[in-house]
Amino acid sequence: MTSTLDVGDARLAYTDSGSGSPVVWLHGSGPGATGMSNFGGNLPAFADHRNIVVDLPGWGQSSRPETDEPLIFHAADRVCRAMTALGIDRAHLVGNSYGGAVAMRIAMRYPDRVDRLVLMAPGGVLPADAPPWPVGLEHLFAYMAAEKPSREAMARFVRLMVFDESLATEALIDERYESSLRAHPELPIPPNFGDLTPDLALIQAPTLLVWGREDQTVPLAWAPKILNGIPDAELRVLPHCRHWVQYERAPEFNHIVREFLHGGAAAASEG
């Protein structure tokens, strides 16, 4: 069941399940995204943890942010406020794409609140030659900028997120489309995300990067800057996989992440 929490200037929606060491799950910025749409299928594998799955400000049932502050910075502070309100001093953070950027910001600014950090193709760190945008980001921004985006635009977006397009089911497309219309547009266009590049070395937490080799949204070519910038980071690359690693390769993702959170090596640096 989804609950909401007062974080001072907004309401943040979340689910809270399980018991054990806490894991905070932070979703991506795609249209129609919610915490549970990103991670609901993974949670059974983490039942020995307390799982806090957040709808970031502007998405799902959380209120829209009213701020000129970079979105990553704003969201990170609200997640930390939510952790405090829920009695969580310290947690593992698992972040997908935009949520990975939010997780990195928390680890930079509040290092004592982060145990281990799992980042799936995180945003917030761009190569100098990043634009023109990869096709996945082009579709994301175009969808957000449309006055009333179409279901076909959502279908094109969802198909770009997975290598195996059979996983882009009609039910999934419908779910994401209906969710996106309730909150549209989740992002201001152009978005002011904020740049995390200068502060990568501040991340003290052991960090696991997980990337789909065929990612067309946050390309694997962008990974070395983060891998080399975080002092204690390792990289696992999954072949035949695009941006939604936790969905497209759920069994492998669950195994890798569980092993890492429990203190083991994630496995080889490339798969």
Side-chain angles (χ1 to χ4, degrees), residues 13-162:
Y14 70 98
T15 67
D16 186 346
S17 63
S19 61
S21 59
V23 182
V24 177
W25 301 79
L26 303 171
H27 65 77
S29 65
T34 66
M36 289 301 290
S37 73
N38 268 207
F39 301 117
N42 304 103
L43 294 186
F46 295 86
D48 55 340
H49 291 273
R50 180 184 179 188
N51 295 293
I52 309 297
V53 185
V54 175
D55 287 352
L56 291 169
W59 278 267
Q61 298 182 45
S62 291
S63 54
R64 189 175 303 279
E66 300 290 339
T67 181
D68 294 326
E69 186 182 19
L71 295 173
I72 292 167
F73 300 178
H74 177 87
D77 283 346
R78 275 64 193 171
V79 170
C80 282
R81 292 180 191 180
M83 289 171 60
T84 299
L86 293 168
I88 299 172
D89 294 325
R90 189 176 177 92
H92 303 302
L93 304 183
V94 180
N96 175 45
S97 195
Y98 172 67
V102 174
M104 284 195 288
R105 172 69 176 179
I106 295 170
M108 292 167 179
R109 190 166 185 187
Y110 309 103
D112 292 342
R113 308 209 66 173
V114 181
D115 277 328
R116 287 181 168 241
L117 195 59
V118 179
L119 309 171
M120 296 90 81
V125 178
L126 297 178
D129 59 350
W133 297 112
V135 63
L137 286 180
E138 281 188 351
H139 278 264
L140 187 156
F141 293 146
Y143 190 101
M144 296 289 192
E147 183 175 345
K148 184 177 180 183
S150 67
R151 184 187 182 280
E152 182 51 38
M154 175 59 77
R156 288 194 298 270
F157 172 77
V158 170
R159 290 174 190 133
L160 282 169
M161 296 299 107
V162 290

Side-chain angles (χ1 to χ4, degrees), residues 240-259:
H240 312 300
C241 182
R242 288 186 182 166
H243 194 53
W244 286 349
V245 178
Q246 77 280 7
Y247 173 66
E248 186 162 22
R249 299 290 294 275
E252 297 97 321
F253 172 85
N254 294 342
H255 175 76
I256 292 165
V257 173
R258 279 187 56 80
E259 189 173 55

Side-chain angles (χ1 to χ4, degrees), residues 118-239:
V118 179
L119 309 171
M120 296 90 81
V125 178
L126 297 178
D129 59 350
W133 297 112
V135 63
L137 286 180
E138 281 188 351
H139 278 264
L140 187 156
F141 293 146
Y143 190 101
M144 296 289 192
E147 183 175 345
K148 184 177 180 183
S150 67
R151 184 187 182 280
E152 182 51 38
M154 175 59 77
R156 288 194 298 270
F157 172 77
V158 170
R159 290 174 190 133
L160 282 169
M161 296 299 107
V162 290
F163 183 83
D164 178 1
E165 291 191 5
S166 70
L167 295 173
T169 64
E170 297 301 309
L172 175 60
I173 293 165
D174 285 339
E175 175 192 340
R176 290 291 294 247
Y177 183 56
E178 291 165 11
S179 177
S180 76
L181 294 183
R182 287 193 293 270
H184 186 75
E186 293 104 330
L187 284 176
I189 300 296
N192 174 16
F193 286 118
D195 182 13
L196 301 179
T197 309
D199 294 327
L200 285 172
L202 297 179
I203 296 177
Q204 300 174 14
T207 300
L208 171 64
L209 298 169
V210 185
W211 230 284
R213 189 180 65 189
E214 286 77 24
D215 194 326
Q216 295 183 308
T217 305
V218 181
L220 180 59
W222 294 8
K225 196 165 191 177
I226 302 173
L227 179 65
N228 296 325
I230 297 176
D232 186 4
E234 55 187 297
L235 171 65
R236 178 68 187 265
V237 181
L238 299 183

